[in-house]
Amino acid sequence: MSQKPSTEAPLPSFEELREAVYEIVAQIPKGKVLTYGAIALLAGYPNHSRLVGRIMRSAPDGQLPCHRVVSATGRLAPHFPTQASLLAAEGVKLSPSDKVPLKTYLWQID
DNA sequence: GGGCTGACGTGGC
DNA sequence: CGCCACGCCAGCC
């Protein structure tokens, strides 16, 4: 009782989100990319793209293809100069403005 | 405990 | 197409 019947969604803890993000990012096919917002949504955290970004910043690079994660505008992550190289190695060509053409490389789940 | 920061997203100009 | 303002939330000083 006393449980207010509000529309609050039972969002998992930040730790749960971290694991969910790792799972999702690890499933991104080579040559494709995903946006922070999309990952947050798939993880069950709508509109929490920033949290995903914070997690990626602390994410273990080398085991996780974090270079396949870009912003909704196709912008690459700051302080991550090797991201462009890693993407290029997978066949992802950037726009003249250093942005990823999501129209072509965004991972669309079949 | 309070305020600023930041691997974001969207809308407006 | 680019820049700015607002909303969002956890982490850091």
Side-chain angles (χ1 to χ4, degrees):
Chain A
M1 42 195 12
S2 0
Q3 295 292 11
K4 53 188 165 75
S6 65
T7 55
E8 276 183 59
L11 293 175
S13 60
F14 193 76
E15 294 291 308
E16 295 289 312
L17 174 61
R18 187 183 355 176
E19 289 187 41
V21 171
Y22 287 147
E23 292 291 299
I24 295 165
V25 174
Q27 288 167 65
I28 303 176
K30 185 176 161 220
K32 293 285 180 182
V33 299
L34 235 98
T35 66
Y36 298 96
I39 295 169
L41 194 64
L42 292 170
Y45 270 71
N47 297 55
H48 284 69
S49 48
R50 256 186 165 152
L51 299 187
V52 177
R54 190 161 288 284
I55 291 169
M56 296 313 296
R57 196 207 195 196
S58 191
D61 73 332
Q63 291 181 123
L64 211 64
C66 49
H67 61 272
R68 290 179 189 149
V69 183
V70 299
S71 71
T73 55
R75 191 74 163 73
L76 299 184
H79 303 294
F80 193 173
T82 58
Q83 184 171 26
S85 301
L86 292 168
L87 289 174
E90 299 186 351
V92 178
K93 308 203 164 132
L94 303 182
S95 270
S97 303
D98 290 300
K99 303 213 301 188
V100 177
L102 301 178
K103 185 94 189 284
T104 304
Y105 298 109
L106 180 61
W107 179 35
Q108 293 161 127
I109 301 155
D110 257 63

